[in-house]
Amino acid sequence: MNRTIHISACAILLAGLGTIAPAQSETPEQHNARMQWWREARFGLFIHWGLYSVPAGEWKGETSHGEWIRETARIPLQEYDKFLPRFNPVKFDPDEWVRMAKNAGMKYIVITSKHHDGFCLFDSKETDFDVMSTPFKRDIMKELSEACRKEGITICWYHSIMDWHHPDYLPRREWETDRPTEGASVDRYVEHMKRQLEELTSNYGPIGVLWFDGEWEKTWNDARGRDLYAYVRSLQPGIIINNRVGAGRAGMEGLTTEGAFAADFGTPEQQIPATGLPGVDWETCMTMNDHWGYNKNDKNWKSAKELLQMLADIASKGGNFLLNIGPTAEGLFPPESVERLSAIGEWMTVNSEAIYGTQASPFRSLSWGRCTQKEANGKTVLYLHVFDWPADRTLVIPGLLHEPERAYLLSDAKQSALALSRDGFNMVIAVPRTPPDPINSVVVVELKDRASVLHPAEFTRSSKGDGLEIVLKSEVKEKEYVVRYTVDGSLPTVKSSEFSSPVKLKYPAVFKAAAFYKDKQFGEVTIMDIPLSVGKRVTLTTLPSVKYNAEGASSLSDGMFGTNEYTDGKWLGFEQSDLEAVVDLGESSTIHNVTLTYLVQTAAWIFGPTEIEYAVSDDGKTFQKVGAVKKEPGQWKDERGVNRFSRDLNRVKARYVRVSAKNIGVCPDDHAGKGGKAWLFVDEISVR
Ligand code: H79
């Protein structure tokens, strides 16, 4: 257990996820009771259906449109209204839709009662822009809600706040000039929307969720959101409302930012949060291909395997999965969607127990897959979702301290016991050679009590003044579990200082830490080696392109490293120009070495430096060259991605360090861009 990992000097930041505020005037018990069916369901079907399914993504030869077609193709209102007589989904069979969702293991359906285009799939007294003005003339909401009720599926409405059709809604599309805004009143629009919501909550029985969207335009705000939330709850007290009712959503990651917004759950869109958040309800909504509404040309389907592993991933983080289908204008699910539902259903028939009513994994990460769990009467059942079946037939569960009661394959009706053994802090399960399922085989582990799991120590760090603060990511409550650290470069032992969060350090610093359980090291050693240069002033005598200048010169000494993506905002890009930068260490310091971090992405015409030169100075004016390296032309070929070049400076004493790096100039002869301007991308100068 003496492996070590290096954490680069970049801060390990948690994504900026906020919290979901509890709803007003409700006790935690009442709130839990209201959320219960939804938390247990874990899996639902999203349906995006409306007039946009008629053009099916195509307008004037452009085929990439979806439910946003009115906006993305800039279709005037009168033109868009011509889809009304063409919406006649004669093959719509609500019982069949519900059957397919149910067979896939979905517990609820969220369908667009109205999308941004303003078209209503239900019979609304409030507008003629509804399904009753189409040749179909059938209240789709009515038929689908009845079909759902028969099958025990919970019907839910998606309802767009933004409305591109209603005369009172503002703002208009910026390209829209044929509709005067004079006399329009957002207050009156809200009254109209409320009357429609009354229809939607009065005429179709109990509704599970009201899923608002299109809340981000400037006419919507927190006060309107709170009011709408309270109003919908007054219509059906048990209803659950997503966070897009208000103005607190944090972008597409969809969780609510800090503050007391009225909302019951967060809505990450087309993404899965990196970790779950204890006490926060959330639901990832996701398309099966790249469009929500039907697009006849979109063949970029996610595989059933990807979708099933996403379902397990989401459940393992304590979230729900709302998987989308965009039916055709005839009223059919696309065949690719039908296939995927049925493959998911096959897995769910055997394994749904590992999804429904489960809670987030007690493990931070598992190399072979995911884990969900259920707790009842002090006992715990772990469901190990094994994506990568172990070739050596031993499934290792790291840090599980229990002696489990038993383990078996969920697919094994006889629940034959699998042999269990212990290897230090690891629990080991002997599994059969062939996985019971090619995508996700579930192994059940029963524990006598609550799962207590050891985690390796993980830290977050942030700069504070001229130093930094290190915080333990999350405490482990286990007795005799201690995190220990050193700052003198030595490896932590049972005798090292005990970590009491937070630890404050001054630059430069070498921080090494590890977790110990019963005086034995658990997990790897974390090393944070923070150079002298972090936070120090850098001046540039050559200028980067305005397109790629990160946070300016200071980016070169911020201790944050860029990724392989040159567009990630961390890189300084020099177009056919060299780099010359001077780091001011503030006072004369002993320098061991200097490291330059640069990027090579030859496909984007980004090459490594052909020459790097180091010089030092005491006054910042006269520099003395202390080292240089020349690179063979063509050497960049072997250096794809992020590269670091270190140079030992033999403990020279100086206050200023100058780094010069030569741009290759033009793309070389054997490159597709031969003769074109070459780029040099640099990110960090680390002085130690
Ligand atoms: O109905 C589907 C899409 O049509 C709809 N939501 C899903 C469920 C959708 N509308 N817009 N988008 C998806 C993408 C819009 C993103 C942005 Fe914004 C709106 C970027 C800026 C404004 C909201 C606020 C998201 C980030 C900030």
Side-chain angles (χ1 to χ4, degrees):
M1 292 243 186
N2 267 328
R3 287 159 302 154
T4 56
I5 45 163
H6 283 260
I7 298 219
S8 64
C10 76
I12 306 150
L13 294 170
L14 275 174
L17 308 175
T19 51
I20 295 295
Q24 8 21 358
S25 63
E26 192 177 42
T27 65
E29 292 72 30
Q30 288 169 327
H31 179 73
N32 289 339
R34 183 162 59 88
M35 296 301 293
Q36 193 184 347
W37 76 264
W38 185 89
R39 287 175 182 162
E40 278 173 9
R42 283 285 173 260
F43 192 27
L45 176 66
F46 215 172
I47 299 177
H48 275 73
W49 204 29
L51 292 184
Y52 42 78
S53 63
V54 173
E58 183 170 356
W59 190 255
K60 300 198 166 143
E62 169 63 54
T63 58
S64 65
H65 302 290
E67 73 290 348
W68 274 65
I69 190 166
R70 168 129 199 273
E71 157 84 5
T72 52
R74 305 193 162 189
I75 305 175
L77 203 60
Q78 281 169 11
E79 195 79 15
Y80 197 79
D81 286 349
K82 291 181 189 158
F83 292 137
L84 276 174
R86 293 172 60 195
F87 187 78
N88 192 17
V90 290
K91 294 188 178 158
F92 170 58
D93 179 348
D95 293 323
E96 178 67 2
W97 281 18
V98 172
R99 192 190 58 76
M100 285 190 279
K102 187 173 176 172
N103 286 350
M106 292 154 159
K107 295 286 196 186
Y108 58 107
I109 295 179
V110 184
I111 184 167
T112 47
S113 52
K114 181 191 83 168
H115 204 265
H116 308 332
D117 65 358
F119 175 71
C120 298
L121 278 180
F122 62 106
D123 179 3
S124 174
K125 295 200 171 41
E126 278 291 309
T127 180
D128 287 335
F129 195 51
D130 69 355
V131 70
M132 303 318 272
S133 301
T134 70
F136 198 52
K137 284 198 180 58
R138 278 159 55 183
D139 186 338
I140 288 164
M141 309 282 90
K142 186 117 217 145
E143 296 186 16
L144 193 66
S145 60
E146 279 165 6
C148 277
R149 206 139 288 132
K150 269 192 290 190
E151 293 295 334
I153 299 293
T154 304
I155 188 76
C156 310
W157 307 140
Y158 167 107
H159 203 77
S160 175
I161 290 170
M162 177 163 73
D163 190 317
W164 302 333
H165 200 274
H166 197 278
D168 275 329
Y169 181 83
L170 294 173
R172 297 282 149 80
R173 307 290 89 200
E174 57 183 24
W175 48 267
E176 224 181 341
T177 49
D178 55 348
R179 287 202 295 151
T181 56
E182 222 180 10
S185 156
V186 174
D187 287 339
R188 205 162 54 218
Y189 170 73
V190 173
E191 290 312 312
H192 150 82
M193 185 167 57
K194 283 183 168 176
R195 285 192 300 274
Q196 283 204 320
L197 289 165
E198 194 185 344
E199 294 178 331
L200 285 166
T201 50
S202 305
N203 303 339
Y204 309 96
I207 303 306
V209 175
L210 248 166
W211 212 106
F212 288 104
D213 197 9
E215 83 292 11
W216 58 81
E217 297 204 296
K218 60 179 185 291
T219 43
W220 200 251
N221 57 38
D222 182 35
R224 288 194 194 279
R226 284 163 176 281
D227 176 66
L228 190 60
Y229 180 94
Y231 177 71
V232 173
R233 288 285 309 283
S234 78
L235 296 169
Q236 283 201 10
I239 209 162
I240 293 170
I241 303 170
N242 73 342
N243 66 342
R244 300 188 185 190
V245 69
R249 166 163 65 124
M252 301 291 271
E253 61 269 36
L255 293 159
T256 303
T257 45
E258 290 304 330
F261 297 99
D264 294 324
F265 65 92
T267 49
E269 178 166 330
Q270 302 285 42
Q271 57 188 294
I272 301 173
T275 61
L277 280 178
V280 174
D281 290 301
W282 55 273
E283 172 191 72
T284 282
C285 57
M286 180 88 65
T287 51
M288 285 194 189
N289 53 5
D290 292 329
H291 291 85
W292 298 96
Y294 179 60
N295 179 305
K296 62 184 174 202
N297 291 295
D298 183 351
K299 299 295 171 202
N300 193 25
W301 298 93
K302 296 172 186 78
S303 65
K305 175 177 175 175
E306 284 173 285
L307 296 170
L308 273 168
Q309 294 192 342
M310 282 182 191
L311 175 63
D313 184 33
I314 290 168
S316 80
K317 293 169 179 172
N320 278 18
F321 192 25
L322 187 62
L323 182 58
N324 182 73
I325 285 179
T328 67
E330 284 188 295
L332 298 175
F333 286 178
E336 294 89 346
S337 298
V338 173
E339 270 167 43
R340 279 155 186 78
L341 284 186
S342 116
I344 292 169
E346 270 175 44
W347 185 86
M348 286 292 274
T349 303
V350 178
N351 299 291
S352 64
E353 182 190 326
I355 300 290
Y356 299 143
T358 58
Q359 290 173 344
S361 172
F363 304 94
R364 293 240 179 91
S365 73
L366 292 164
S367 59
W368 37 256
R370 301 290 183 274
C371 174
T372 53
Q373 63 173 328
K374 279 182 202 168
E375 280 178 40
N377 311 322
K379 292 198 176 195
T380 304
V381 181
L382 298 178
Y383 298 95
L384 309 177
H385 298 249
V386 187
F387 300 168
D388 299 314
W389 196 251
D392 64 358
R393 301 180 51 186
T394 55
L395 185 66
V396 177
I397 315 169
L400 186 66
L401 297 174
H402 303 258
E403 297 311 321
E405 287 197 309
R406 62 185 190 125
Y408 57 89
L409 300 173
L410 187 54
S411 58
D412 176 8
K414 287 191 279 225
Q415 304 191 345
S416 317
L418 300 173
L420 297 161
S421 58
R422 177 152 294 282
D423 172 17
F425 297 131
N426 299 332
M427 186 72 236
V428 180
I429 305 177
V431 293
R433 190 169 304 281
T434 35
D437 188 281
I439 293 170
N440 175 3
S441 304
V442 178
V443 178
V444 186
V445 179
E446 294 181 353
L447 308 177
K448 287 192 216 36
D449 39 28
R450 282 181 65 102
S452 66
V453 172
L454 295 182
H455 302 290
E458 286 180 85
F459 305 89
T460 53
R461 43 167 282 205
S462 50
S463 43
K464 281 268 151 71
D466 60 346
L468 82 161
E469 190 174 273
I470 301 172
V471 178
L472 202 54
K473 240 189 191 171
S474 81
E475 307 281 349
V476 175
K477 305 263 172 348
E478 204 62 37
K479 257 191 239 158
E480 297 188 69
Y481 176 95
V482 186
V483 175
R484 298 184 181 278
Y485 73 101
T486 66
V487 291
D488 63 359
S490 65
L491 284 173
T493 67
V494 288
K495 298 212 172 69
S496 305
S497 310
E498 211 175 306
F499 189 95
S500 58
S501 203
V503 165
K504 290 198 173 75
L505 296 174
K506 284 229 164 3
Y507 297 126
V510 183
F511 170 85
K512 297 187 183 180
F516 293 84
Y517 181 68
K518 296 193 172 163
D519 285 348
K520 280 211 191 85
Q521 187 185 321
F522 177 73
E524 299 164 330
V525 176
T526 298
I527 299 178
M528 293 190 205
D529 188 351
I530 325 284
L532 268 175
S533 47
V534 166
K536 301 288 159 59
R537 202 168 61 95
V538 179
T539 37
L540 278 167
T541 48
T542 55
L543 287 183
S545 115
V546 289
K547 267 168 77 185
Y548 305 107
N549 58 3
E551 305 285 317
S554 65
S555 299
L556 291 172
S557 62
D558 62 0
M560 308 274 271
F561 287 90
T563 62
N564 270 323
E565 298 292 327
Y566 65 91
T567 51
D568 69 6
K570 298 268 193 288
W571 294 93
L572 297 184
F574 295 83
E575 190 177 19
Q576 209 179 33
S577 131
D578 303 332
L579 158 83
E580 191 180 278
V582 175
V583 183
D584 178 359
L585 298 170
E587 58 188 357
S588 185
S589 316
T590 305
I591 300 164
H592 296 262
N593 69 64
V594 183
T595 305
L596 176 70
T597 303
Y598 60 91
L599 184 71
V600 177
Q601 291 285 355
T602 54
W605 298 23
I606 300 169
F607 299 86
T610 54
E611 193 176 339
I612 304 174
E613 188 195 281
Y614 302 101
V616 294
S617 164
D618 285 324
D619 59 4
K621 290 181 189 109
T622 355
F623 280 85
Q624 185 198 347
K625 185 171 156 184
V626 287
V629 58
K630 268 200 189 359
K631 309 202 111 205
E632 291 301 316
Q635 193 168 335
W636 47 264
K637 279 186 183 160
D638 313 319
E639 296 187 327
R640 256 146 252 253
V642 180
N643 288 268
R644 298 205 161 82
F645 187 80
S646 280
R647 179 81 198 188
D648 206 328
L649 295 195
N650 297 316
R651 301 172 151 262
V652 64
K653 253 183 107 74
R655 173 172 167 179
Y656 299 91
V657 181
R658 189 180 72 197
V659 178
S660 318
K662 244 193 168 22
N663 189 321
I664 188 170
V666 292
C667 302
D669 286 353
D670 56 349
H671 183 269
K674 172 183 176 182
K677 287 183 184 177
W679 288 86
L680 173 69
F681 267 63
V682 297
D683 173 27
E684 192 78 14
I685 296 170
S686 313
V687 181
R688 288 196 160 78

